[in-house]
Every structure is written in structure tokens, then in C-alpha cells.
Amino acid sequence: MSFFKDIKDELEQAVNEIDATEQTEEEDLFADSDADEEVDEELLANILEDEPKTEEPVKQEEISEPKAEEAAVPQEEKTQREHTEGVTVITKGTTINGSIISDCALDVMGTINGDIECLGKLTISGKVSGNSIASEVFVNTERLEGSITSEGSVKIAQKTIVIGDITASSAVLAGAVKGEIDVAGPVVLDSTAIIKGNIKAKSVQMNNGAVMEGFCSLSYSDIPIDDIFE
């Protein structure tokens, strides 16, 4: 009997060991399954992170409106101001034989034998033999031979002799001019002025001591002179 009992005990022990082994393998299997689920969750999270994010629309930069002061300045005046910012200087002792063109102001202290054209102010204190065109002209020299054309004013200093015509929008003459004077605005003849030629202007102011030989016409005046006497 003891022999069979021992065999029975050995069989039960073997069965218990088999059950324990299967239970351990089953637990390992569930553990691997949980690990796979964790891996899948991490993979899903990575995939979600890799998805392209919706970019926010780029906001256009607001274009600042020009300041009231800048907007009030006409474009022509801005252009003229840009041209007159620099100054070209012909120094004393320099002689130029030929025409000269400048896109800014020009100060002539030397000698130019030729025509002058500049977009800015023209100041002549040297010697010039030729026609001059500028936005504004100031002559303060002994003698200038050539016509003067200006979009703005023309000023002839005292003791200056000009041999040539003058065309401008206004003029102040204190020196001597021999030529035709055509000014769309006012003309002022200082007490030292000597004019030999006709004047065509909007108005003429002749100070005591000025000398003029020629015909004066106020054809640019706003007053209809011929209609008054009809």
C-alpha cells in the first residue's frame, strides 16, 4: 500500500508543478501583452506628435501711413529738396572750358566758358561766359555774359553787370542789366539798378535812384487794362 501511496503523491506533485509552470507562462504572456499595449500607446503618441500642426495664418504687417507733415509736402517739392541737398563747388582758380550739368546746387567761384544747367540753386561769384539755367539764380560777380533762365527767382547783386536776357518767376535787380527781362511775377529795381532793355512782368517796383531805358509792360497783371478804358 505504501508503494502505491508514494506513486500517487509523486503524480500529484508532478501535476502541481505542471500547473504552476503553466500559470507562470500565462502571467508572462499577459505581461508581454501589457508591454505591447504600452508600446502601442507610445507609438500612437509619437504618431500624433509627428502629425503636421496647423500653422496660424501669417498676419500681414500693418503698413504705417505717412505722417501728416510728409503727406502735406508735394512730390515736386520733395524732389527739388532732394536735388538741393548737395552742393557742387567750382573753386576759385579752376577753369572749365565747356558746358556743365549738375543735379544739385552749384556754386561757381572759378571760371566757366560754357553753358550751365543745374537742378538746384546756382550761385555765381566767379566768371561765366554762357547761358545759365537753374531753379534759382544769384549773381554776385563783376561781369556775366549770357542769358539767365530760372524757374524761381533771379537776384543780381550791386556792381554786377549782366549782358543777356533774364527769364524768371520773380527778380530783384540791384546791378546793371542789358537785355530783355521777362518775369511772370514781380520785379524790384533797387536804387542802384541800371536797366537797358524792355521789361515784361506782373508788377514793377522802381526805387528812387534806379535807371531804366526801355519799354515796361505789365502784361502778366491780373487787371484787364484795355477793358478799363473801353
Side-chain angles (χ1 to χ4, degrees):
M1 295 291 294
S2 61
F3 176 76
F4 289 104
K5 185 177 180 180
D6 294 335
I7 292 174
K8 183 179 181 180
D9 293 336
E10 290 177 0
L11 291 173
E12 290 178 356
Q13 183 177 359
V15 170
N16 291 333
E17 290 177 359
I18 292 171
D19 293 339
T21 302
E22 291 178 354
Q23 184 176 1
T24 302
E25 292 177 355
E26 186 177 359
E27 290 176 356
D28 294 335
L29 179 62
F30 282 112
D32 294 337
S33 177
D34 293 337
D36 292 337
E37 290 179 0
E38 293 177 359
V39 171
D40 293 340
E41 292 178 357
E42 293 178 358
L43 179 61
L44 181 61
N46 293 332
I47 293 173
L48 292 177
E49 289 180 356
D50 294 336
E51 289 182 359
K53 298 181 181 179
T54 304
E55 297 182 356
E56 296 182 357
V58 179
K59 297 181 179 180
Q60 295 182 353
E61 297 182 357
E62 297 181 357
I63 301 175
S64 58
E65 296 182 356
K67 297 181 180 180
E69 296 179 357
E70 296 179 355
V73 180
Q75 185 63 30
E76 295 180 358
E77 185 176 344
K78 287 182 180 180
T79 304
Q80 184 176 358
R81 184 185 302 173
E82 292 175 357
H83 287 311
T84 56
E85 284 181 354
V87 179
T88 301
V89 179
I90 308 299
T91 58
K92 188 176 181 180
T94 301
T95 300
I96 297 177
N97 294 318
S99 301
I100 182 171
I101 299 175
S102 175
D103 60 354
C104 60
L106 181 62
D107 190 355
V108 180
M109 294 184 287
T111 301
I112 296 179
N113 296 317
D115 298 335
I116 299 174
E117 182 178 353
C118 73
L119 298 179
K121 180 180 179 180
L122 174 61
T123 302
I124 300 174
S125 57
K127 296 180 180 181
V128 174
S129 296
N131 300 326
S132 301
I133 301 175
S135 62
E136 185 178 352
V137 179
F138 174 64
V139 182
N140 185 15
T141 185
E142 294 181 358
R143 188 180 182 91
L144 185 148
E145 295 183 1
S147 63
I148 299 173
T149 302
S150 172
E151 297 177 358
S153 64
V154 171
K155 297 179 181 179
I156 307 299
Q158 187 177 356
K159 296 182 180 180
T160 296
I161 298 174
V162 175
I163 309 297
D165 301 334
I166 294 177
T167 303
S169 61
S170 64
V172 178
L173 309 178
V177 177
K178 181 181 180 181
E180 302 293 317
I181 299 174
D182 189 348
V183 176
V187 174
V188 176
L189 303 180
D190 203 356
S191 59
T192 57
I194 300 174
I195 308 298
K196 186 176 183 179
N198 300 325
I199 296 178
K200 184 179 178 181
K202 184 176 182 179
S203 64
V204 176
Q205 176 183 332
M206 190 171 182
N207 296 338
N208 187 22
V211 177
M212 176 188 170
E213 181 180 331
F215 178 75
C216 182
S217 173
L218 303 182
S219 56
Y220 294 121
S221 175
D222 297 331
I223 300 175
I225 298 176
D226 295 335
D227 296 341
I228 294 176
F229 300 99
E230 290 183 356

